[in-house]
Amino acid sequence: MDRSSFKYDILKEVFNISVGKAADLLSEITGKKILLKIPDVTILDRTTNNIELTEYLPIKFTGALMVSTISFKENLTGKANLIFPAEKMKAFIHLCLNEDVHEEDDLNFTDIDFDVIKEIGNIILNCILGETGNLLNIKLQYSLPEVKIYNHINFRKDIDEKEYQHILVLYITFIIDSTEIEGTIIVDLALQSLNEIMRKIDLIEADIYD
Amino acid sequence: MTKVLIVDDSVFSQKIAANLIKKYMGDVELSFANDGEEGIELYEKLKPDFVITDLLMPKLSGQELIRRIKAHDKFAEIIVVSADVQKNIREEVEAYNILSFLNKPLQDEKAQLICNLMREKIHG
């Protein structure tokens, strides 16, 4: 394995551990066993490519999208978006509230639904970002979480923030009680932030060879 | 009756905390604040025996709420229930001499732990 692939492998493993912890928390919330498919990570570079973020969403994401967002600063600067297809979210909310799941649920979300998704999104994103920060020894300071529903056009306009040079796209799939929920986390990062992550990964790599 | 103030900007988390605290504490008087600012107002007005607070909240953060309460009453009993899993944040908050720091989600085991800690404090 060459050096660059090895660094990518370390980064993927760091996210793998963080997503595993997030799945554990989801299991605590729903009281159900969570099966996790191995997450995949892609790093996109806006400085050299013209990137359309919607092209990196899973093909199944054709309808409305529910997006939980949290910004962070201090040692890293950026914004993390947890994206799920809105049609899966009603079932997910019922699971979180320990209610029966109805197949015929519509896409009208109440204030309570938004509050639940905001809080669960906050817990998942805090876990993934915070555990990544713990593993890489990087401190983060978060903004308040937000939740919005987007169609693909609004998503392209609102989420696709050209001000950040790098994007980490993390694909995750949770299977909760036979309900498969496929999600994507898009982390926008300032140039120096990706450099800082890579510097920390270099330190981990150096430790391995010590 | 034991008075507990729950400070969290999520109504969902307030309800979970309320149900679990009632379940394991029994006779308890619960009050709720939706952010740190409301939390400090209710703390001064109600003088609760315990405060259970989140950290990331609008208007006034949990850290600032704890700092202000402790400046006013250094023996105030505060329990933090937060989604923030960062070790350095935990260390910063624990430096305020809080009763406990737990990560969300709150579930039976963690709620029992909180209630046992509160009982120990009440009964000396």
Side-chain angles (χ1 to χ4, degrees):
Chain A
M1 186 181 274
D2 64 31
R3 211 165 154 225
S4 146
S5 306
F6 188 52
K7 280 170 87 166
Y8 175 73
D9 186 72
I10 295 173
L11 182 67
K12 205 171 149 184
E13 189 57 11
V14 165
F15 280 122
N16 207 349
I17 295 167
S18 311
V19 172
K21 294 227 171 172
D24 200 36
L25 292 185
L26 269 183
S27 173
E28 282 186 37
I29 294 167
T30 58
K32 303 205 183 286
K33 189 177 161 191
I34 310 275
L35 294 172
L36 193 64
K37 288 193 180 168
I38 300 166
D40 198 12
V41 187
T42 303
I43 302 173
L44 306 175
D45 184 352
R46 271 210 176 102
T47 53
T48 51
N49 299 301
N50 187 21
I51 291 162
E52 274 301 337
L53 258 189
T54 42
E55 287 172 18
Y56 290 89
L57 294 177
I59 337 164
K60 286 184 205 163
F61 284 21
T62 48
L65 301 169
M66 194 165 231
V67 183
S68 301
T69 305
I70 198 164
S71 297
F72 49 88
K73 56 182 184 180
E74 204 144 326
N75 295 351
L76 297 183
T77 305
K79 198 171 173 183
N81 302 290
L82 175 64
I83 305 158
F84 286 116
E87 55 172 355
K88 293 277 184 182
M89 285 297 94
K90 275 279 181 177
F92 183 59
I93 291 162
H94 287 308
L95 285 166
C96 292
L97 295 172
N98 294 314
E99 296 169 348
D100 291 333
V101 177
H102 311 285
E103 290 297 327
E104 69 282 7
D105 275 331
D106 57 27
L107 284 182
N108 292 319
F109 291 94
T110 64
D111 287 349
I112 295 169
D113 293 336
F114 273 107
D115 183 66
V116 171
I117 290 295
K118 191 160 84 176
E119 189 64 352
I120 305 296
N122 181 33
I123 292 172
I124 294 175
L125 285 174
N126 262 266
C127 181
I128 293 171
L129 296 172
E131 281 299 333
T132 302
N134 285 343
L135 291 165
L136 298 178
N137 198 19
I138 295 173
K139 187 183 173 191
L140 302 171
Q141 194 188 327
Y142 305 115
S143 69
L144 290 169
E146 284 176 40
V147 176
K148 281 183 186 167
I149 293 184
Y150 291 95
N151 60 32
H152 277 240
I153 297 162
N154 289 340
F155 178 85
R156 208 174 287 142
K157 274 196 275 183
D158 272 29
I159 299 293
D160 209 348
E161 299 212 20
K162 312 278 191 238
E163 67 190 271
Y164 295 105
Q165 291 90 340
H166 289 105
I167 309 160
L168 291 179
V169 186
L170 177 67
Y171 300 97
I172 49 171
T173 307
F174 297 113
I175 302 160
I176 312 172
D177 211 21
S178 78
T179 305
E180 183 165 316
I181 300 176
E182 198 173 349
T184 302
I185 296 174
I186 290 178
V187 186
D188 290 308
L189 284 170
L191 179 64
Q192 71 274 21
S193 297
L194 185 69
N195 292 343
E196 177 64 3
I197 289 175
M198 288 309 177
R199 195 180 67 80
K200 294 287 185 179
I201 287 176
D202 281 343
L203 294 176
I204 294 176
E205 194 187 3
D207 269 353
I208 293 169
Y209 290 118
D210 256 356
Chain B
M1 193 185 288
T2 309
K3 290 196 281 185
V4 179
L5 172 62
I6 296 172
V7 189
D8 200 308
D9 58 326
S10 163
V11 177
F12 171 58
S13 283
Q14 283 182 12
K15 284 189 176 155
I16 288 177
N19 290 343
L20 288 167
I21 299 297
K22 270 189 223 155
K23 183 175 170 186
Y24 293 108
M25 200 69 190
D27 216 10
V28 65
E29 189 184 315
L30 298 173
S31 310
F32 303 93
N34 296 312
D35 56 61
E37 210 169 271
E38 217 177 292
I40 197 89
E41 279 168 25
L42 280 180
Y43 180 82
E44 284 164 5
K45 188 176 155 194
L46 305 171
K47 302 275 179 254
D49 301 296
F50 299 94
V51 177
I52 298 175
T53 185
D54 186 13
L55 292 180
L56 190 60
M57 292 185 289
K59 296 182 186 170
L60 191 76
S61 71
Q63 284 97 325
E64 187 55 22
L65 170 73
I66 295 166
R67 196 189 63 75
R68 290 197 195 178
I69 291 176
K70 285 287 186 180
H72 184 257
D73 174 11
K74 65 176 179 174
F75 298 110
E77 302 292 4
I78 302 173
I79 295 154
V80 172
V81 180
S82 166
D84 201 328
V85 297
Q86 296 183 87
K87 286 178 204 154
N88 41 40
I89 297 291
R90 176 187 284 260
E91 284 163 11
E92 276 173 28
V93 174
E94 282 176 343
Y96 284 111
N97 195 25
I98 56 167
L99 198 51
S100 187
F101 186 121
L102 297 160
N103 279 126
K104 285 183 177 180
L106 197 59
Q107 28 74 316
D108 287 78
E109 203 181 318
K110 291 175 193 169
Q112 275 177 299
L113 179 77
I114 289 176
C115 293
N116 287 340
L117 282 171
M118 292 199 290
R119 264 190 225 100
E120 276 170 28
K121 282 286 166 188
I122 294 164
H123 301 299

